[in-house]
Amino acid sequence: MDMMKDDPRFMLAVLFLCLFLKTHICHGADRISGNQTLTGDQTIVSAGEIFELGFFKPVNSSKYYIGMWYKRISERTIVWVANRETPVSDRFSSVLRISDGNLVLFNESQIQIWSTNVSSSGSSSVQAVLEDNGNLVLKEGSNNSRRILWESFDHPAHTWLPGSKLGYNNITKKNQRLISWRTSEDPAPGLFSLELDTSDNSYKILWNGSVQYWTSGPWNENTKIFDRVPEMRLNYIYDFHFVSNNTEKYFTYSVKDNSTTSRFLMDVSGQIKQQNWLGNGWNLFWSQPRQQCEVYAYCGAYGNCNEESLPFCNCVTGFEPKSQSNWDIEDYSVGCRRKTPLQSCGNNSTSGGGNGERDKFLQLTSMSLPNQSLSAGSAAQCESTCLNNCSCTAYSLDDNDCLIWIGDFLDLEQLSEDDGTGRTFYVRLAASELPNPKKKNGVIIGVAVGSAVGISVFLCLIVFVILRRRKKIVKPGKTVEGSLMAYDYRYLQNATKNFSEKLGGGGFGSVFKGTLPDQTVIAVKQLESFSQGEKQFRTEVSTIGTIQHVNLVRLRGFCSEGAKRLLVYDYMSNGSLDSHIFREKTSNLLDWKTRYQIALGTARGLYYLHEKCRDCIIHCDIKPENILLDSQFIPKVADFGLAKLVGRDFSRVLTTMRGTRGYLAPEWISGVAITAKADVFSFGMMLFEFVSGRRNSEQSEDGKVKFFPRWAASVIIDGGDVLSLLDPSLERNADVEEITRVCRVACWCIQDDENRRPTMGQIVQILEGVIDVNLPPVPRSLQVFVDDQENVIFYTESSSSQSSQTRSNTSTASSQAKSTTSSKNSLS
Ligand SMILES: *[C@@H]1O[C@H](CO)[C@@H](O)[C@H](O)[C@H]1NC(C)=O
Ligand SMILES: *[C@@H]1O[C@H](CO)[C@@H](O)[C@H](O)[C@H]1NC(C)=O
Ligand SMILES: *[C@@H]1O[C@H](CO)[C@@H](O)[C@H](O)[C@H]1NC(C)=O
Ligand SMILES: *[C@@H]1O[C@H](CO)[C@@H](O)[C@H](O)[C@H]1NC(C)=O
Ligand SMILES: *[C@@H]1O[C@H](CO)[C@@H](O)[C@H](O)[C@H]1NC(C)=O
Ligand SMILES: *[C@@H]1O[C@H](CO)[C@@H](O)[C@H](O)[C@H]1NC(C)=O
Ligand SMILES: *[C@@H]1O[C@H](CO)[C@@H](O)[C@H](O)[C@H]1NC(C)=O
Ligand SMILES: *[C@@H]1O[C@H](CO)[C@@H](O)[C@H](O)[C@H]1NC(C)=O
Ligand SMILES: *[C@@H]1O[C@H](CO)[C@@H](O)[C@H](O)[C@H]1NC(C)=O
Ligand SMILES: *[C@@H]1O[C@H](CO)[C@@H](O)[C@H](O)[C@H]1NC(C)=O
Ligand SMILES: *[C@@H]1O[C@H](CO)[C@@H](O)[C@H](O)[C@H]1NC(C)=O
Ligand SMILES: *[C@@H]1O[C@H](CO)[C@@H](O)[C@H](O)[C@H]1NC(C)=O
């Protein structure tokens, strides 16, 4: 093959083919060597066809760059760029080749615009090889004594690939950095970077190379994690290493299962992100800072960041985007500019927009203040202090102190009204930008009211009242798509007496009780975090609205106004299941028959969600809090479809699904697609709790039973006293066969390997007694994963005892389960 490559006839044939087919893989080779060149649509491909290198252009740009991307991933994902700041416009007359022992990019005028820039012997044996790990390596010498002159791993762009190092080299004194792209269309170095701080071995994210807004905390050699990244303990799919000695300090990682494509990048959003490819898209696995508004100066000068609005950035009143085209591509860093110049200071003309009036101040409440304030005397004179300083743009009061801001202010954030830390911020504006308080005019009108005016005012009032009435009747809103109502926010505010009676606070937001004018009782859920705009929200909600089943809570309607998103449900008079099975007092005791019926009803509801409705829906948050009971104790699954509304990111799952810990299936952290089997796992965990009457995550009162599922399995398998498993409050009043059945199916459900878990359909059949499960698999020794507050996140079988000891007859549930396993993924 190598001989053939050197054969000129072969080369000519290849060249001809290339011209003829215009194929992208022209060299078909993994290297550029000797006299070879790369130009136009030609690319080189790593030996295992993992990475590809050649010219590319960002979608809406007209400029070309030499870049590296994944060969097999359908979504073009650039992981490295050579000439970040020096693009070319004609890729056919530009060329990448070896020149004087370096890999050099020449532009249209054959002028060198990028080079590996190493001093070398200029030997002709230099080659640039693209390796399967995404490293482009410049080598010199014969096969046996290759010397590495330069490698792209030492010069990362914004992506950090598995196997490469990110750190400091004490010999070259070079500190590597990941630097974000300037915008999604421009790979030039942007404002956000990640680098190692060698003083305390922590990684820091910096804005414009100076202002730090996130740190990993120092590396802790004992716990092998960075102090402020406790989730590193969940090293389920990655192996991390930190090396620190006098020669070098670096952090590196690898993916345990190397069939997973994973990358780590400094994103244009100012967040570092870890993503895994799931076959149809990049799945966000982890990111920091979690909140967009924690990114320093994300919205630029005079921008206002609001975590609850979409987009996150807005200009402060009186300002407008400095560059609308940048804002359109979500690049807010350019910030905002004044619509009307300030009046005062050196401008003694009336050219400022204030018609000669002095500048005024706009009052913004519940703000997180920008960082760079100056202390300026007493609070009483604060406003005039600011007015008298030409460069003062804003002030705020801090007890008895006056804080002023000089020049552009960055990093202003709107907090929610009930956030206790919010402060009031006064922004200086030209007087004409502020709505004039019409006090004086009011007095004049008052004096001038004549009888004619009086009558017309009276008429207006009548019309107003009628309109209001009419509006009130119309208010519940028009019917949209099916039977859903679009409610008015004010209407729901009235119905819930201004959200005064809280029923509960779930993972997605708080729920309030309300009463409609016709005395129907409703439950109103205020969504706290959602990732979608209005249109998508309506689409999603109307899908949820079409799903109706006796074991699912019915969605009656919704409200979507501004940044507010509410869902209106039927009210369930017996509350949620947790209050009945984990109760303190023995009233409300659910007897065994009722528990069994609740288990069966819940299974039917989930079966319907997974397999019977038009689009398969994975609930993602099955736990007793989400099983509601109506007046007849019929179970109704709540909150289905919401996981989609809040987005599919794992980091969101962890932050938004509070109280979910203990029910999450291990694949949540494995970076693979979530299937309906994740719900099966959670359902299994919950079944054990039906039996024991306590949370699996708690030890028994006498401390003897640490993990109930394991104990239950051993009692069933050893033919022990099944009734001893039962919630003591039930005083052994239960059907032994039913308890056995529930424990068996629960054991099937909580297996690590999702393919072994039954489907919801099989579970329904088992609980109905139609099919039977013999001996369950024993939950093996389980690892407990905890988060930074030491709360249990989930359990998984420890990998040390991986060998299966299923003594059971797997022919029923397991084999069928395999055949029905599909990668339905409602989250994508
Ligand atoms: C490269 O070109 C030079 C002169 O043009 C020639 O001597 C040399 O053999 C060529 N090398 C290869 C690998 O083709
Ligand atoms: C490219 O521009 C078009 C039209 O302006 C826009 O719809 C599209 O979202 C842009 N694509 C990217 C990746 O910015
Ligand atoms: C090539 O690069 C040089 C140096 O940067 C520049 O002066 C020249 O205009 C470029 N040629 C073209 C065609 O862009
Ligand atoms: C190339 O390296 C030399 C020193 O080795 C340095 O002076 C020069 O600035 C470098 N050029 C570029 C473009 O990095
Ligand atoms: C380099 O290795 C290839 C096979 O990997 C071999 O065909 C070739 O002859 C070697 N060249 C030298 C100079 O050793
Ligand atoms: C970043 O810092 C440089 C000086 O280091 C400064 O000139 C530039 O204006 C800063 N960029 C922004 C957006 O503030
Ligand atoms: C606040 O601003 C100063 C510079 O004025 C900067 O050094 C510091 O890092 C900033 N802090 C944060 C948290 O942005
Ligand atoms: C530093 O650590 C690296 C990686 O473990 C090792 O290759 C190197 O020899 C070490 N250097 C010293 C001086 O210990
Ligand atoms: C670099 O090496 C020198 C001595 O070789 C040592 O004193 C210094 O602490 C090292 N610096 C770092 C950041 O490790
Ligand atoms: C994955 O790793 C194993 C063991 O390290 C190796 O044998 C295999 O070739 C690797 N597969 C890929 C696709 O890199
Ligand atoms: C003074 O007025 C000019 C022109 O109206 C304007 O460009 C400038 O920004 C103003 N100066 C100040 C300090 O507002
Ligand atoms: C203010 O206006 C007067 C007269 O129009 C002019 O002479 C003076 O230079 C102006 N002052 C400033 C600071 O622009």
Side-chain angles (χ1 to χ4, degrees):
M1 188 65 200
D2 262 10
M3 270 169 65
M4 272 181 85
K5 267 183 197 158
D6 291 337
D7 181 338
R9 275 172 301 171
F10 175 77
M11 297 288 281
L12 203 68
V14 169
L15 193 68
F16 188 73
L17 257 178
C18 286
L19 290 174
F20 194 70
L21 297 173
K22 276 216 165 232
T23 156
H24 282 252
I25 311 140
C26 202
H27 283 272
D30 64 347
R31 62 193 65 197
I32 301 174
S33 53
N35 302 342
Q36 291 172 322
T37 60
L38 186 140
T39 184
D41 288 333
Q42 296 173 334
T43 61
I44 56 170
V45 177
S46 68
E49 305 216 314
I50 311 289
F51 287 98
E52 186 167 17
L53 180 134
F55 283 103
F56 78 97
K57 80 174 183 65
V59 180
N60 284 340
S61 166
S62 56
K63 303 197 171 119
Y64 286 86
Y65 301 82
I66 288 288
M68 189 192 302
W69 58 88
Y70 298 92
K71 168 106 180 113
R72 298 206 198 115
I73 285 180
S74 52
E75 190 179 312
R76 172 70 68 92
T77 307
I78 305 294
V79 296
W80 184 75
V81 181
N83 52 330
R84 290 186 79 165
E85 289 176 277
T86 48
V88 299
S89 30
D90 180 4
R91 66 193 190 285
F92 290 98
S93 48
S94 307
V95 59
L96 182 69
R97 64 178 164 87
I98 306 284
S99 167
D100 288 335
N102 276 298
L103 185 64
V104 178
L105 177 63
F106 295 92
N107 75 358
E108 301 85 332
S109 342
Q110 302 312 309
I111 293 181
Q112 170 177 329
I113 53 165
W114 177 84
S115 165
T116 50
N117 199 25
V118 286
S119 48
S120 81
S121 58
S123 135
S124 63
S125 59
V126 171
Q127 296 185 325
V129 182
L130 180 57
E131 298 186 339
D132 274 338
N133 54 6
N135 197 7
L136 179 67
V137 186
L138 194 68
K139 300 174 183 178
E140 178 186 43
S142 66
N143 280 1
N144 299 331
S145 59
R146 282 272 154 88
R147 192 162 73 91
I148 294 179
L149 301 172
W150 177 95
E151 50 191 329
S152 65
F153 271 6
D154 286 339
H155 304 266
H158 72 314
T159 305
W160 179 29
L161 293 170
S164 72
K165 305 168 178 179
L166 189 65
Y168 176 73
N169 185 328
N170 202 9
I171 294 167
T172 62
K173 306 283 176 207
K174 277 204 138 171
N175 201 359
Q176 287 157 345
R177 286 178 177 175
L178 294 183
I179 307 182
S180 66
W181 285 25
R182 192 169 287 162
T183 71
S184 54
E185 294 284 308
D186 182 359
L191 284 171
F192 309 110
S193 59
L194 176 74
E195 66 180 61
L196 174 69
D197 180 343
T198 52
S199 66
D200 65 350
N201 293 344
S202 66
Y203 281 84
K204 294 189 164 141
I205 308 186
L206 303 179
W207 175 84
N208 203 12
S210 58
V211 181
Q212 171 201 325
Y213 59 90
W214 182 81
T215 174
S216 66
W219 174 256
N220 186 325
E221 198 50 47
N222 298 323
T223 55
K224 302 278 179 206
I225 61 166
F226 291 102
D227 272 359
R228 303 196 35 194
V229 194
E231 57 270 37
M232 277 178 74
R233 259 176 269 165
L234 311 167
N235 61 343
Y236 199 82
I237 56 172
Y238 303 106
D239 283 320
F240 301 108
H241 297 284
F242 187 74
V243 172
S244 173
N245 58 33
N246 270 351
T247 323
E248 54 185 347
K249 287 184 172 189
Y250 64 83
F251 190 54
T252 186
Y253 73 105
S254 57
V255 184
K256 284 184 175 153
D257 170 7
N258 57 7
S259 64
T260 306
T261 301
S262 187
R263 68 180 188 139
F264 190 99
L265 77 154
M266 183 74 242
D267 193 58
V268 285
S269 68
Q271 294 165 307
I272 40 170
K273 292 182 171 173
Q274 197 151 23
Q275 300 180 322
N276 297 320
W277 178 255
L278 289 187
N280 54 1
W282 287 102
N283 183 282
L284 182 63
F285 183 69
W286 179 84
S287 72
Q288 284 291 353
R290 287 232 172 99
Q291 305 277 326
Q292 181 64 69
C293 293
E294 288 172 38
V295 172
Y296 184 74
Y298 180 65
C299 299
Y302 305 111
N304 186 2
C305 195
N306 184 349
E307 206 60 56
E308 291 181 359
S309 79
L310 284 166
F312 293 107
C313 293
N314 280 294
C315 291
V316 171
T317 304
F319 293 81
E320 64 194 0
K322 208 178 233 171
S323 157
Q324 190 60 47
S325 56
N326 284 68
W327 280 60
D328 288 346
I329 57 167
E330 296 180 6
D331 171 25
Y332 306 108
S333 62
V334 289
C336 311
R337 62 169 173 232
R338 280 183 196 284
K339 289 181 181 163
T340 314
L342 291 178
Q343 198 273 335
S344 53
C345 283
N347 279 348
N348 53 9
S349 66
T350 54
S351 59
N355 295 328
E357 263 189 274
R358 291 200 90 185
D359 293 337
K360 292 211 160 65
F361 287 91
L362 170 74
Q363 178 182 341
L364 299 173
T365 55
S366 302
M367 307 305 288
S368 155
L369 302 182
N371 166 356
Q372 317 84 339
S373 61
L374 296 178
S375 193
S378 84
Q381 268 94 53
C382 204
E383 180 168 330
S384 58
T385 306
C386 185
L387 276 180
N388 291 333
N389 181 334
C390 296
S391 328
C392 178
T393 51
Y395 75 91
S396 181
L397 305 176
D398 184 15
D399 292 330
N400 283 323
D401 284 337
C402 166
L403 300 175
I404 60 167
W405 278 261
I406 301 298
D408 298 355
F409 53 81
L410 301 157
D411 210 30
L412 180 67
E413 182 184 350
Q414 175 74 58
L415 302 175
S416 76
E417 267 158 38
D418 48 3
D419 188 317
T421 65
R423 306 270 295 276
T424 303
F425 188 61
Y426 298 89
V427 181
R428 184 180 194 165
L429 291 179
S432 64
E433 285 294 336
L434 278 168
N436 263 328
K438 301 265 191 254
K439 274 183 214 141
K440 277 181 196 160
N441 295 352
V443 174
I444 295 165
I445 288 175
V447 173
V449 163
S451 60
V453 176
I455 286 168
S456 62
V457 165
F458 182 65
L459 280 178
C460 280
L461 258 178
I462 289 177
V463 171
F464 180 70
V465 168
I466 292 173
L467 276 179
R468 249 186 91 97
R469 279 232 177 128
R470 168 126 10 113
K471 207 169 171 208
K472 242 197 168 133
I473 296 163
V474 181
K475 257 182 185 175
K478 56 182 195 302
T479 307
V480 288
E481 289 170 66
S483 52
L484 282 190
M485 300 288 261
Y487 290 95
D488 190 279
Y489 183 73
R490 292 260 300 282
Y491 182 82
L492 293 180
Q493 209 171 12
N494 285 339
T496 57
K497 301 199 186 83
N498 200 16
F499 303 101
S500 53
E501 198 179 333
K502 188 163 170 174
L503 295 170
F508 302 99
S510 304
V511 186
F512 300 89
K513 187 173 175 178
T515 311
L516 297 179
D518 67 358
Q519 300 309 309
T520 312
V521 187
I522 54 169
V524 179
K525 177 160 219 134
Q526 268 183 330
L527 293 182
E528 265 164 18
S529 69
F530 48 89
S531 59
Q532 299 181 324
E534 163 121 18
K535 209 171 138 200
Q536 264 177 305
F537 177 80
R538 280 177 185 259
T539 316
E540 231 33 88
V541 161
S542 59
T543 311
I544 300 175
T546 60
I547 299 168
Q548 305 212 355
H549 184 270
V550 63
N551 294 119
L552 299 175
V553 176
R554 185 169 74 104
L555 181 67
R556 302 174 64 98
F558 65 93
C559 163
S560 174
E561 272 180 36
K564 297 194 171 71
R565 301 280 187 279
L566 296 92
L567 297 174
V568 180
Y569 291 103
D570 283 348
Y571 174 74
M572 295 294 134
S573 59
N574 272 315
S576 60
L577 185 57
D578 57 312
S579 65
H580 294 272
I581 50 176
F582 309 132
R583 87 244 149 262
E584 314 247 281
K585 37 190 184 350
T586 46
S587 58
N588 303 338
L589 189 61
L590 288 181
D591 64 19
W592 174 253
K593 277 275 166 280
T594 314
R595 290 187 197 197
Y596 195 83
Q597 286 311 313
I598 290 172
L600 182 53
T602 307
R604 286 183 179 136
L606 286 173
Y607 169 52
Y608 184 82
L609 275 186
H610 288 177
E611 296 171 39
K612 289 291 169 191
C613 41
R614 208 172 32 166
D615 306 308
C616 165
I617 286 194
I618 306 171
H619 188 291
C620 296
D621 200 16
I622 292 296
K623 57 185 172 183
E625 286 77 358
N626 279 336
I627 312 301
L628 305 184
L629 300 172
D630 73 2
S631 56
Q632 312 293 310
F633 287 93
I634 308 271
K636 312 255 184 185
V637 178
D639 272 8
F640 54 88
L642 296 197
K644 221 171 162 186
L645 288 178
V646 299
R648 62 180 200 168
D649 307 335
F650 178 74
S651 60
R652 270 183 201 266
V653 172
L654 280 191
T655 49
T656 56
M657 297 192 186
R658 278 163 248 138
T660 301
R661 292 106 213 263
Y663 302 92
L664 282 181
E667 62 264 26
W668 274 108
I669 196 131
S670 69
V672 301
I674 293 298
T675 70
K677 294 294 184 68
D679 284 351
V680 170
F681 183 98
S682 310
F683 179 76
M685 280 300 204
M686 195 169 68
L687 279 184
F688 282 118
E689 299 179 336
F690 281 60
V691 175
S692 68
R694 63 183 174 84
R695 299 229 190 236
N696 296 326
S697 52
E698 287 164 12
Q699 297 191 0
S700 66
E701 270 157 33
D702 55 14
K704 279 191 195 137
V705 182
K706 286 212 170 88
F707 189 56
F708 180 79
R710 187 172 165 72
W711 182 51
S714 62
V715 169
I716 302 284
I717 287 169
D718 299 342
D721 176 13
V722 172
L723 287 175
S724 70
L725 298 172
L726 193 66
D727 184 349
S729 317
L730 294 181
E731 296 170 330
R732 302 175 69 92
N733 285 320
D735 183 324
V736 173
E737 199 192 317
E738 283 176 352
I739 297 179
T740 310
R741 201 182 289 158
V742 166
C743 288
R744 279 182 183 162
V745 78
C747 286
W748 278 106
C749 292
I750 66 164
Q751 297 178 89
D752 238 13
D753 178 355
E754 54 181 297
N755 294 324
R756 290 168 172 268
R757 297 177 207 149
T759 63
M760 256 6 263
Q762 290 168 331
I763 294 170
V764 169
Q765 287 187 304
I766 295 167
L767 292 177
E768 282 172 342
V770 177
I771 56 173
D772 207 15
V773 197
N774 294 325
L775 288 174
V778 188
R780 276 149 270 166
S781 60
L782 288 137
Q783 270 180 292
V784 178
F785 286 118
V786 294
D787 70 1
D788 44 2
Q789 271 104 48
E790 303 289 322
N791 292 315
V792 172
I793 297 176
F794 60 78
Y795 307 94
T796 182
E797 296 166 14
S798 69
S799 46
S800 54
S801 55
Q802 207 57 271
S803 70
S804 168
Q805 39 163 299
T806 44
R807 286 195 271 146
S808 50
N809 175 357
T810 55
S811 67
T812 37
S814 177
S815 59
Q816 286 171 35
K818 272 221 165 71
S819 66
T820 50
T821 302
S822 63
S823 53
K824 284 178 193 161
N825 183 4
S826 81
L827 295 175
S828 55

